[in-house]
Amino acid sequence: MRAEQATDVALRLLAEPDDRHARAIQLTTPLLVLGAGLVLSVIAGIALGPTVVPLGDVLRYLDAAITGGSIRADEVTAYSIVWNVRAPRVLLAAVVGAGLSVVGVAVQALVRNALADPFVLGISSGASVGATAVVVFGLFAGLGVLALSTAAFLGALAATVLVYLAARSRLGLTPLRLVLTGVALAYAFQAVMSVLVFLSPNGQAAQTVLFWLLGSLGAATWESLPLALVAVVVAVVVLLRRSTALDVLSMGDETAASLGVDAARLRRQLFVLTAVVTGVLVAVSGAIGFVGLVLPHVVRMVVGSAHRRVLAVAPLAGACFLVWVDVLARTLVPPEELPLGVITALIGVPVFLVVMRRRGYLFGGR
């Protein structure tokens, strides 16, 4: 029976490229549309805000910054808003959105659960403990503006180690143990965070921690961009190289073994990769929910369930989505700024329900 199942799966994987021209169009069109949309979204995101900068001025300021051109003395303020404040923030939004979408695809394959997202493993809760310690007790104060990100990343790494040690067994990292361990430790980390806030001598600690937990790019700088970008690029490249193995893994460990894929080893590699990338993203943006949960399903509806196509399109879709979420966060109630997680939840919940009820769509397939 197992041999027949393996043969059937192999035939499905090999039959996929039959109509290569149609499938190339199915993939190329979304890539071109989203690529152009991302460029326009970034430019629009830089122009829009509590203070709107004309599009022509935005392009001129960006050109001056990149090429070393000159601007008039009366344009210094507008130039500073465009280049020093909004440009790194919008680009970081694109990187974080791309990263969360890609990691969402990987985590759903890792635990074989359509409801999984980058935070199901408890990594974001561990990062939250580190960030709370900075807000409440001023840890790593010598690092200045990098203190929060550093503590959050260290907390994420500590959570990764604890989840791995608690979830592993003689069978490796099984999906059910991984999810249950991640959820259980996430509650434990949240309890620790609550105790830290309760003991805080700072009355504003709870508000500051809550705002960070819901996601914010207000502290984005050019210095915070490279590490996040490198982490996301590495994740995309590695996952694309293992896309066929991810297709097999999503069909079950027995099927994977019969097709020559070491499910335990692959799951361990995916766990480390997704945990590190999630830790980096949470450190620079806080915990932004629903991006890694909803975007993979939306992309699957457009390009199919093959991981090679999903992983090619998901980063662009996630980048465009979070750029516009950030624009809404900055412009809906000026001069106040809404947490990104509030907007992603308000958009993500109804979209997820529509996707779930869509006729002919099954989670992870069509």
Side-chain angles (χ1 to χ4, degrees):
M1 183 65 183
R2 184 180 298 177
E4 294 177 0
Q5 185 183 28
T7 302
D8 180 61
V9 173
L11 289 174
R12 286 170 57 190
L13 292 174
L14 292 174
E16 193 171 77
D18 282 348
D19 190 357
R20 300 190 178 188
H21 180 67
R23 292 190 180 279
I25 293 176
Q26 184 186 28
L27 179 61
T28 303
T29 301
L31 287 176
L32 292 176
V33 171
L34 288 172
L38 179 58
V39 173
L40 295 176
S41 297
V42 167
I43 296 174
I46 295 174
L48 298 174
T51 301
V52 178
V53 181
L55 189 59
D57 290 345
V58 169
L59 296 175
R60 189 159 51 83
Y61 297 154
L62 293 177
D63 179 71
I66 295 172
T67 63
S70 60
I71 59 171
R72 299 193 307 269
D74 61 338
E75 296 179 317
V76 171
T77 300
Y79 171 84
S80 181
I81 291 174
V82 167
W83 183 250
N84 296 323
V85 178
R86 291 187 186 170
R89 176 173 182 148
V90 172
L91 291 176
L92 187 61
V95 170
V96 171
L100 291 176
S101 298
V102 167
V103 175
V105 175
V107 171
Q108 288 169 8
L110 167 65
V111 300
R112 291 171 52 203
N113 190 324
L115 295 176
D117 71 354
F119 305 131
V120 75
L121 302 178
I123 309 302
S124 65
S125 298
S128 301
V129 173
T132 302
V134 171
V135 174
V136 173
F137 301 113
L139 296 183
F140 303 111
L143 297 177
V145 295
L146 297 178
L148 188 66
S149 298
T150 301
F153 182 65
L154 292 176
L157 290 184
T160 300
V161 173
L162 289 176
V163 171
Y164 177 80
L165 293 177
R168 70 174 181 172
S169 67
R170 60 184 181 83
L171 299 176
L173 291 177
T174 60
L176 182 59
R177 286 177 65 95
L178 197 53
V179 171
L180 293 178
T181 303
V183 171
L185 287 181
Y187 280 112
F189 294 141
Q190 290 170 10
V192 172
M193 181 190 66
S194 299
V195 171
L196 292 178
V197 172
F198 180 78
L199 297 176
S200 170
N202 180 4
Q204 296 296 320
Q207 182 177 353
T208 303
V209 170
L210 178 62
F211 191 85
W212 186 86
L213 287 177
L214 292 175
S216 172
L217 296 169
T221 63
W222 286 111
E223 289 74 21
S224 61
L225 188 60
L227 179 60
L229 179 60
V230 170
V232 172
V233 170
V234 169
V236 172
V237 172
V238 171
L239 292 173
L240 280 174
R241 289 171 62 90
R242 306 305 304 273
S243 58
T244 301
L246 291 177
D247 289 332
V248 176
L249 183 66
S250 64
M251 298 173 187
D253 288 10
E254 290 187 2
T255 302
S258 64
L259 292 173
V261 175
D262 188 340
R265 180 183 178 186
L266 177 58
R267 191 171 286 116
R268 188 164 55 247
Q269 294 171 345
L270 289 176
F271 173 74
V272 174
L273 178 66
T274 56
V276 172
V277 176
T278 301
V280 171
L281 298 179
V282 171
V284 297
S285 66
I288 305 173
F290 281 95
V291 180
L293 171 62
V294 175
L295 265 296
H297 292 307
V298 174
V299 171
R300 289 189 188 102
M301 291 176 61
V302 177
V303 301
S305 59
H307 281 88
R308 177 178 58 83
R309 296 198 297 270
V310 176
L311 289 168
V313 176
L316 294 174
C320 291
F321 175 71
L322 201 60
V323 166
W324 284 106
V325 166
D326 184 55
V327 170
L328 291 175
R330 290 185 277 123
T331 57
L332 282 180
V333 288
E336 299 296 326
E337 180 179 316
L338 290 176
L340 298 181
V342 171
I343 300 176
T344 57
L346 291 175
I347 298 174
V349 169
V351 170
F352 184 77
L353 293 177
V354 169
V355 170
M356 184 176 64
R357 296 179 63 87
R358 181 181 173 89
R359 192 171 193 177
Y361 179 79
L362 298 174
F363 289 111
R366 299 179 72 166

